[in-house]
């Protein structure tokens, strides 16, 4: 197995010892640091490096060591897809694999003797997750993780409401909210924010290893493992998000869907819809900058489903609680990604504080 191994300064010596030991057992130890026991460092930094190896599929599992093992296990369990067990004996280590499916072993260098740590690591590495009732229970744990949210579009979890809080997104969003921002700047920034949102949403896209020849030598690199995507803007404001997304994912196909509100029934009616033929095989991202009442977004998603769409997510710059509620109640399996969740709708159906009418501000029609 490929094992990501990381430690802070307190766990450094134990990491060095265990690295050799697990390689002796026939595994490959991927050392993510820290690389000295002299300098005091922060355990979450090294924890994250190891967890990223695991969630990206570059490592099969991980071993994390700090003074007590507590900091490392708490930090690791914040990461979607990581199940860390802090173990102080061989029995717990084995059962944490067999029953709980732990994929990270946390150890305390100041609380566990080096010889015992080796035995714990061996017991943990030799054990495999069991099926049956344990599988059912692990699935329930995974469901809890899904409900708690997180910007991980690749865990297979659905129905999350994720607010993307990256500082660059929040900074640019404040500029587009400003009523004095020009049409040109507004348009450019909506594209930029959409790109940044997609960058966050896709942080765990699956990769495959490839051979690369550099001018100096041959090496291993990574390539995206061929996921099929479709971006579907809801006309007209959704159009303002498409270019920013395509800049990052140029091979995505683009569908279009246009809806108007029937003046008699007040229900959304689609007046235009053109989707990629293979929509059912694609991860579909419906884009609409403002999720206000949720009527159009929910109707667009229903229409895409009728035409065969299966895995659908909604990406909006700003969402109102009313819109989230509407989409979540009609399409509970749809992930909703937003840069901000605002407080409410006003009597005219505008999001408060919002940014006004995104379509008018994008196209200068007001
Ligand atoms: C570092 O002194 C220590 O606090 C850390 O290694 C760890 O025990 C935290 O949980």
């Amino acid at each position: 197995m490929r094992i990501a191994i990381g430690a802070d300064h307190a766990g450094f010596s134990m990491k060095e010892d265990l690295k050799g030991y697990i390689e002796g057992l026939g595994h490959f130890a991927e050392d993510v640091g820290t690389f000295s026991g002299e300098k005091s460092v922060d355990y979450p930094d090294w924890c994250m490096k190891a967890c990223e190896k695991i969630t990206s599929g570059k490592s099969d599992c991980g071993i994390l060591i700090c003074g007590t093992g507590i900091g490392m296990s708490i930090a690791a369990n914040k990461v979607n897809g990581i199940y860390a067990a802090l173990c102080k004996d061989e029995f717990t280590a084995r059962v944490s694999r067999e029953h709980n499916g732990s994929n990270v072993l946390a150890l305390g260098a100041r609380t566990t003797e080096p010889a015992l740590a080796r035995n714990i690591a061996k017991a943990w590495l030799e054990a495999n997750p069991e099926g049956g009732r344990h599988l059912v229970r692990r699935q329930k744990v995974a469901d809890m993780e899904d409900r708690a949210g997180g910007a991980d579009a690749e865990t297979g979890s659905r129905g999350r409401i994720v607010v993307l809080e990256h500082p660059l997104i929040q900074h640019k969003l404040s500029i587009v909210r400003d009523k004095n921002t020009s049409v040109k700047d507004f348009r450019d920034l909506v594209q930029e924010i959409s790109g940044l949102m997609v960058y966050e949403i896709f942080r765990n896209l699956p990769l495959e290893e490839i051979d690369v020849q550099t001018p100096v030598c041959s090496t291993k690199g990574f390539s995206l493992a061929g996921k099929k995507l479709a971006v579907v803007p809801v006309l007209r404001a959704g159009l303002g998000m498409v270019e920013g997304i395509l800049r990052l994912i140029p091979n995505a196909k683009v569908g279009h869907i246009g809806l108007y509100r029937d003046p008699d029934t007040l229900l959304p009616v689609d007046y235009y819809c053109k989707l990629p033929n293979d929509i059912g095989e694609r991860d579909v991202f419906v884009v609409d900058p403002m999720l206000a009442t949720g009527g159009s977004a929910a109707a667009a998603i229903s229409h895409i489903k009728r035409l065969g769409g299966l895995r659908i997510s909604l990406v909006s710059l700003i969402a109102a609680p009313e819109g989230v509620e509407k989409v979540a109640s009609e399409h509970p399996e749809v992930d909703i990604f937003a840069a901000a969740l605002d407080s409410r709708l006003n009597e005219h159906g505008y999001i408060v504080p919002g940014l006004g009418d995104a379509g008018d501000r994008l196209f200068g029609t007001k």
Side-chain angles (χ1 to χ4, degrees):
M1 280 197 291
R2 293 175 71 90
I3 299 152
I5 184 163
D8 68 356
H9 55 288
F12 171 74
S13 300
M14 182 173 278
K15 169 170 73 70
E16 295 304 298
D17 180 60
L18 281 181
K19 229 169 41 179
Y21 178 70
I22 61 179
E23 294 216 317
L25 295 176
H27 301 288
F28 175 74
E30 175 102 68
D31 187 352
V32 300
T34 185
F35 299 104
S36 146
E38 301 302 310
K39 184 167 164 276
S40 174
V41 293
D42 301 329
Y43 59 83
D45 299 338
W46 310 98
C47 171
M48 200 57 214
K49 284 179 197 286
C51 291
E52 278 169 356
K53 292 272 179 208
I54 301 164
T55 57
S56 65
K58 291 177 198 157
S59 297
D60 301 302
C61 58
I63 297 178
L64 290 170
I65 311 148
C66 59
T68 58
I70 294 171
M72 282 295 196
S73 60
I74 290 176
N77 278 316
K78 296 282 176 209
V79 180
N80 261 13
I82 296 295
Y83 304 95
L86 168 57
C87 299
K88 294 190 176 182
D89 60 72
E90 293 159 69
F91 171 77
T92 321
R94 180 169 57 75
V95 172
S96 84
R97 287 282 289 162
E98 291 174 347
H99 291 194
N100 315 110
S102 62
N103 55 4
V104 164
L105 170 66
L107 292 166
R110 291 174 181 159
T111 56
T112 303
E113 289 299 322
L116 178 56
R118 280 186 228 125
N119 292 343
I120 291 172
K122 183 167 186 287
W124 188 74
L125 289 167
E126 283 174 354
N128 288 307
E130 290 175 359
R133 66 187 191 282
H134 299 300
L135 183 62
V136 172
R137 291 165 189 168
R138 288 199 298 275
Q139 187 54 51
K140 288 190 177 185
V141 174
D143 289 346
M144 289 166 66
E145 183 177 64
D146 294 348
R147 281 200 295 275
D152 182 352
E154 295 310 310
T155 55
S157 61
R158 308 294 298 157
R160 296 166 299 153
I161 295 150
V162 182
V163 178
L164 301 167
E165 289 172 335
H166 193 288
L168 284 174
I169 296 177
Q170 295 307 316
H171 171 81
K172 289 172 195 284
L173 186 66
S174 299
I175 305 176
V176 299
R177 283 187 193 273
D178 186 338
K179 67 175 184 178
N180 295 315
T181 297
S182 70
V183 169
K184 181 188 177 303
D185 288 348
F186 186 91
R187 196 182 290 147
D188 291 347
L189 284 162
V190 168
Q191 302 288 9
E192 281 181 37
I193 296 169
S194 307
L196 289 169
M197 290 180 75
V198 158
Y199 182 83
E200 281 285 275
I201 292 167
F202 287 147
R203 61 166 52 243
N204 289 318
L205 270 184
L207 292 170
E208 58 195 12
E209 203 168 66
I210 54 165
D211 296 317
V212 179
Q213 185 69 46
T214 77
V216 181
C217 65
S218 56
T219 185
K220 295 282 179 201
F222 296 96
S223 172
L224 288 174
K227 223 169 196 335
K228 292 171 93 179
L229 305 172
V231 181
V232 182
V234 180
L235 301 180
R236 74 184 156 148
L239 289 175
M241 300 175 70
V242 175
E243 278 305 315
I245 296 174
L246 291 183
R247 249 174 245 148
L248 288 182
I249 316 170
N251 293 331
K253 292 272 166 53
V254 182
H256 292 89
I257 186 156
L259 302 148
Y260 71 90
R261 189 179 294 271
D262 184 299
D264 299 324
T265 64
L266 297 181
L267 294 172
V269 180
D270 59 285
Y271 63 86
Y272 183 81
C273 184
K274 180 83 182 165
L275 300 178
N277 290 335
D278 57 355
I279 194 75
E281 294 164 30
R282 293 181 177 271
D283 278 7
V284 182
F285 288 83
V286 175
V287 299
D288 195 350
M290 308 302 279
L291 178 58
T293 62
S296 322
I301 293 165
S302 297
H303 199 66
I304 295 168
K305 283 184 181 172
R306 280 197 293 278
L307 294 173
L310 293 172
R311 284 176 61 90
I312 304 172
S313 302
L314 174 66
V315 185
S316 293
L317 260 49
I318 301 182
E322 294 88 337
V324 169
E325 178 68 38
K326 168 89 174 163
V327 173
S329 63
E330 291 189 21
H331 305 287
E333 79 293 356
V334 165
D335 285 337
I336 302 172
F337 297 99
L341 182 58
D342 277 9
S343 61
R344 62 184 172 87
L345 295 181
N346 68 14
E347 60 281 18
H348 306 293
Y350 280 91
I351 298 178
V352 181
L355 52 71
D357 184 311
D360 282 339
R361 296 197 61 189
L362 278 167
F363 299 110
T365 43
K366 216 172 195 176

